[in-house]
Amino acid sequence: MTDTSSDDVQRFLDGHFTSLESLELVEDFLRDEERTHASLEKELDATHRHTQAMFAEAGRVADKVNAESLKLIDLHSKVVGFAADESVSAWQFRDGTEIMKLVASLAARLREHQKLSQARAAVDVLVDVEQTKAMATQCLAEKDSQGVLAAYTHAASVLNKSYSTTTEASLRPPQHHLLEHITQTVLGIWKDAEGAAAKAQSEALVRLGWPGKIDMSMATAIETFDAGFSMLVSLDCVNREYKGVLARCCPEVLANKKSALPLEHLAKAVDIRMRYHFESSRATNRVDKPEWWLSQVLSMVRNLVPFMEAHVQQIYEQAPLPHLDTRNEFLRLIQPVIQRKLAHDRPEYLKSGLVISHVTRELANFEQTLRDVYFFDGPSTLERFLSDSDVFAAWVEAERANAMAAYMEAVNDPGAFDLVYDDDMLGIDDAKPSRIAEKVVLLIEDMAERYSAAPSRMQRLQLLATTQFPLIIALVEDVEEEIDEFNRITLAFIRESNIPGAFGASANPGQTPFMSQLARLAAWFQTIWYVEEAARDWSNSPMYVDLWAAVCQHAHALGKEVDPRDWRDSCDDWRAKDRDLLDGTPPAQTGSADSDDDWIDGGIWERTIGTLGKLKQRVLDLIIKAVSNDTVAQLRAFRKKNTWATSNDGKGSVGFGVSVELSGALSGLAQLISSLANMLPFTAFTRLLRSLSVEIDTFITERVACAHSFNCSGGKRLAADVEAIARVLASSAPRADLRRPHQRTLSKARECGLVLSCNVDSMSPSAESARNAIPLALNEWAHAIADTSTDAQEAQLVLKKLGISHLSVKEVRKLLGNRVDFSDNLSD
């Protein structure tokens, strides 16, 4: 009897026992089935006896026809022998009618004899096939694998012989039916033999403990497995021997057979478990959990591969088949199982594109394990999965939409530009991220981690251009919009405003509106700087270096006039040719490009870094402008002071202390600089101080020293005020080595103090010993400088010897003219 497959059993049970109550009738059902089976056995025996009788009768008829044919042949010979005229054909007689009747009768008998001979041969073939079928059935019942194999081999040889002795033209209904019967017999024996061997192999594998760890100590199960495996190998050998006729007559035997038969059944065991657990309505079938089914497949592989290496490979090598690495072939055969699972879940992937990134990551790890641990060298299922344009487009769109939604949520938060960490948590040279900056960096890095598993460089570049760069662009546009809004408000209005947190600044009760706005500007600066520093780090990471190498090679292949930095403009139009160029580039290899191309040392983020750098400089310039304008405004009272010419030594001051008009401005300036030192990085703060010093230096020189009249005491007071301002600028520096006034700080204002404080007639002992005083009295050098006929270069050399190298001759002449205690001497 033919073994019933698991699917047939399932359909049988579903058809007859639809409920638990119906199982009570199983005994009656089996009793009826036994009676029916016995009746069919009797009918089969009767049919077999009748067939044997017909075969015997057909043999007797054939013998009789043969004997009659021999008699006719003898008669024909006698007739031909009586012919008298040798020139006349042996078949031409006077009585032609009679002889032609005899010939016609003889020809009819011969045709009948041929038909009967063919019928006898067909009957012999039919008997042989039936006997082979019965032998195969008996051997299957007795579990005689060699007998089953011999029966299948004989049946295949009979089919091959029958097919080779006939042609399409000679396949009349009798011959056609015989060939069809032989084909069905071969197919039946094949199904029974393959099913029995596969069942034995599968059951033995389960008894050995698979899909868990295989126990090699179970000798009986090992023998059963070996028998089933060897039987499948032998069937495979027969199929290879009769491949031609089987492909024409029994395509089902070779259908979807792409590898060794026993290995296909091992892969089918994996397939069955995959369908049961992960492609049914069970709770384990989760689209968003690809790690569940991939880990299950990997577990089955991990438990089976050692058994294949230690045992299965040896059995296979004993067969007369080409050499095959059974481990690698088995891993190749389970790839369609994974591909079918991916195709099964594809509609859900298209609905939820972010799941695709998760599947990509898990599938990449799975394939990496197959390559690294089991040395699999077959095709990549991940590449095939992502080659689906709809799947990849769904992934890109989901990443873009998710990133932009997260960004918009973060940037619309009122505290988006608030700094995340306290000032004391980071150094002065460290970028301090705002909430939005940290969010942007995290989004970009998370996306990079997700798509780094994509095997195609072209796809990674398209994801970079479509999902990551737009975040940077959006941040730049938002900051520029904030800057434009800030520029529409005058700084004076900001200072006078009593509205806390104006123009989007975070309200801080301890800050003035002006300081709040400076903190806002500093937060923008820190935001851009943090993202810029992150982009520099990304540009040097291995993945982006590899992508940049691919872009450079792609541009080089297209022509020297192509700038690789323009790759974003054309990535949407890339085709298969571009993919071959990009994916075929060796990692981090750009030596083929010309050495004079300045973009070789760039990076994939080069233009982004440049854009962020320009925006950062724009914010810093705005901070410098705001601070400079505010400082100058605070020095308004100092600018309007008009008592420089009436100042007396020691009156109203102690050792020429700070002017009353300057003391309040200095306090505010010191507080402002101290706050800025905590808001800005060291480099930016240093640039701000330098610009502020130049602004104050110019202001004192042009708006105070050159605009008012002075006597010697007033000049000394101005010099003391300049030193005080210089000390304030230096004392707030973030580094100790910069906290002392430098001679270059307020250099022109210092020289103004030297000129305006110089004695008219003679130097006092205290002045002569001072380090910053002009060593000569005004009478000794001022006339030569004030004389307009004096050569300008010569006058400049004189001033340089006196320690005045930053003021022009014209400015010194203006200062000399402002000395009320010396201007009369000049007029003389």
Side-chain angles (χ1 to χ4, degrees), residues 24-336:
E24 299 177 356
L25 305 176
V26 67
E27 185 176 356
D28 297 338
F29 181 81
L30 291 176
R31 192 179 299 110
D32 294 340
E33 289 296 322
E34 289 178 355
R35 288 194 296 270
T36 303
H37 180 72
S39 175
L40 291 175
E41 288 285 349
K42 291 180 181 179
E43 293 180 4
L44 180 63
D45 292 340
T47 303
H48 183 68
R49 288 193 298 272
H50 182 66
T51 302
Q52 294 294 331
M54 291 181 63
F55 287 161
E57 180 64 23
R60 289 193 295 273
V61 171
D63 292 339
K64 183 176 180 181
V65 170
N66 187 37
E68 291 295 328
S69 299
L70 293 175
K71 291 180 181 179
L72 289 173
I73 293 173
D74 293 338
L75 179 60
H76 169 265
S77 300
K78 293 178 180 180
V79 172
V80 172
F82 292 148
D85 190 354
E86 296 181 357
S87 62
V88 179
S89 171
W91 293 101
Q92 294 179 359
F93 298 97
R94 296 182 182 88
D95 191 3
T97 301
E98 293 298 328
I99 196 64
M100 290 306 297
K101 289 181 180 181
L102 178 61
V103 171
S105 175
L106 180 59
R109 294 296 183 91
L110 287 175
R111 285 194 298 271
E112 185 179 358
H113 176 266
Q114 291 175 352
K115 291 180 181 180
L116 291 175
S117 298
Q118 293 176 356
R120 181 173 183 177
V123 169
D124 291 341
V125 171
L126 184 61
V127 170
D128 190 9
V129 168
E130 289 297 322
Q131 291 176 348
T132 302
K133 181 178 179 181
M135 173 184 170
T137 303
Q138 181 180 358
C139 292
L140 282 171
E142 297 174 355
K143 297 183 178 180
D144 180 7
S145 58
Q146 295 300 321
V148 175
L149 180 63
Y152 179 66
T153 304
H154 182 70
S157 65
V158 171
L159 176 62
N160 183 55
K161 183 178 179 181
S162 299
Y163 185 82
S164 61
T165 55
T166 58
T167 62
E168 293 296 333
S170 63
L171 285 179
R172 300 182 189 79
Q175 289 82 0
H176 175 73
H177 294 326
L178 177 62
L179 188 61
E180 180 65 24
H181 180 71
I182 299 173
T183 299
Q184 293 301 320
T185 301
V186 170
L187 184 59
I189 297 175
W190 156 257
K191 289 182 178 180
D192 294 342
E194 183 196 26
K199 182 180 179 181
Q201 175 180 280
S202 178
E203 291 178 350
L205 202 59
V206 173
R207 289 200 299 272
L208 288 172
W210 191 80
K213 189 175 181 180
I214 291 181
D215 184 6
M216 294 290 292
S217 63
M218 302 180 65
T220 304
I222 290 291
E223 292 178 0
T224 304
F225 178 85
D226 292 352
F229 189 91
S230 300
M231 180 64 177
L232 291 172
V233 170
S234 300
L235 290 173
D236 209 1
C237 293
V238 175
N239 290 345
R240 290 173 181 269
E241 181 180 357
Y242 297 103
K243 182 177 180 180
V245 66
L246 291 175
R248 293 181 178 87
C249 299
C250 298
E252 299 92 336
V253 174
L254 304 178
N256 299 323
K257 299 300 187 294
K258 300 178 180 179
S259 182
L261 189 59
L263 298 182
E264 289 190 346
H265 281 282
L266 288 177
K268 187 177 181 181
V270 177
D271 183 32
I272 292 173
R273 286 163 174 80
M274 278 289 295
R275 290 177 184 271
Y276 178 75
H277 291 288
F278 304 107
E279 297 181 30
S280 62
S281 59
R282 299 178 65 84
T284 50
N285 182 16
R286 290 274 300 274
V287 176
D288 61 331
K289 295 291 183 181
E291 62 272 20
W292 287 4
W293 57 271
L294 285 172
S295 61
Q296 183 66 23
V297 173
L298 194 60
S299 176
M300 289 188 283
V301 169
R302 185 185 303 112
N303 293 324
L304 186 59
V305 165
F307 176 67
M308 297 184 68
E309 293 176 338
H311 189 73
V312 173
Q313 185 69 38
Q314 298 178 2
I315 304 175
Y316 185 85
E317 289 178 351
Q318 296 173 1
L321 292 173
H323 173 74
L324 183 67
D325 184 349
T326 55
R327 176 200 60 217
N328 194 73
E329 186 66 13
F330 169 72
L331 296 177
R332 187 186 67 81
L333 289 173
I334 65 174
Q335 298 304 310

Side-chain angles (χ1 to χ4, degrees), residues 492-503 507-509 511-514 516-517:
F493 177 77
I494 294 174
R495 173 166 289 281
E496 296 299 329
S497 175
N498 292 320
I499 303 174
F503 316 116
N508 190 336
Q511 290 181 338
T512 64
F514 178 69
S516 296
Q517 292 308 312

